[in-house]
Amino acid sequence: MPRNVLVTGAFGFLGRHVARAFARAGHSVRGIGHGAWTRAEWSEWGLGEWHSADLTLDSLVSYGGEPDLVIHCAGSGSVGFSMAHPAQDFDRTVVTTRDVLEYARLHRPLARVVVPSSASVYGNAGDMPIGVDAPLCPVSPYGMHKKMAEELCLSYARHFGISVGIVRLFSVYGVGLRKQLLWDACSKLSRGPATFGGTGHETRDWLHVDDAARLLLSAGLADPSHRLTINGATGVGVPIQRIVETIAQAFGGTGDVRFSGGGRPGDPLHLVADMQGTEALDWRPMHSLDTELRHFVEWFKSGAP
């Protein structure tokens, strides 16, 4: 059955792909966020006449067509930003989650709310792969704020009956992402040999943004009577060194890159997901990491339009 879907953060990297996934699946989509769609995107992504860029949660009450599903993609997306600006990171992640949950409680109590969380809630987990029942011990303000947002969701589910879903995304990547490792590596390696922080042996579980969007779609359409908490990843850990060497080779280098040996504050050493819980959603990742890394480099070389 088609849903009325609200995507917050709809013009960010993840939110744009989530909006496209729901629109292509035949759902009616509205968005809240900073930015705008182009007409080419409306056509390419199957968004039809949806172009409500300036809605707010308050205006939705009188706008009509209130959602029965909210995918809350708004929020901070950077450990580094949270270390430099913890108060702003709190507002972006925790306060916006509170606002969405209050909107649902007061105006759409039967709506389902799905929140993309982060593997950062686990911190330096000891055992790999990490299951959703692992202890939550974040090592950065970013991870702590994601944990607080999750706790808000569970509180509203327990006390007010709001149907919630939590998807702990690991390392989401793809063309269009202008931050984090892939962007930084392309920026450095485009100028020649480069040195990177850490040892290179740190591992991450990489999930293409289209696969992440499909997983959020599946979580949104899951049985609303079930409180869902799952990991969003592939279950395969890849060393940072391999990622950087692949990018270096795509730039025509030998793949011989250097690492400083010192890690960044707030960055866990290893993050690899246990994917139990996604089987019932009939979802699996479909994108090849090596292929998509080449696509990312090609996009960067083209000027990252």
Side-chain angles (χ1 to χ4, degrees), residues 242-277:
R242 180 192 150 192
I243 299 295
V244 175
E245 289 177 348
T246 301
I247 292 173
Q249 291 165 0
F251 273 102
T254 63
D256 183 16
V257 296
R258 299 183 298 274
F259 291 87
S260 67
R264 294 191 310 171
D267 276 352
L269 295 177
H270 303 287
L271 287 172
V272 183
D274 183 327
M275 293 304 295
Q276 288 188 15

Side-chain angles (χ1 to χ4, degrees), residues 107-138:
H107 304 290
R108 302 296 294 168
L110 299 182
R112 181 168 178 80
V113 176
V114 176
V115 174
S117 184
S118 167
S120 63
V121 299
Y122 296 118
N124 279 311
D127 296 329
M128 297 290 153
I130 307 170
V132 293
D133 56 350
L136 305 187
C137 302

Side-chain angles (χ1 to χ4, degrees), residues 180-214:
Q180 299 176 2
L181 177 64
L182 302 193
W183 179 264
D184 292 345
C186 285
S187 299
K188 289 183 177 181
L189 292 167
S190 65
R191 299 188 293 268
T195 300
F196 296 85
T199 65
H201 301 300
E202 299 86 353
T203 55
R204 294 293 183 267
D205 194 332
W206 297 86
L207 182 67
H208 190 268
V209 65
D210 283 338
D211 289 330
R214 289 189 303 103

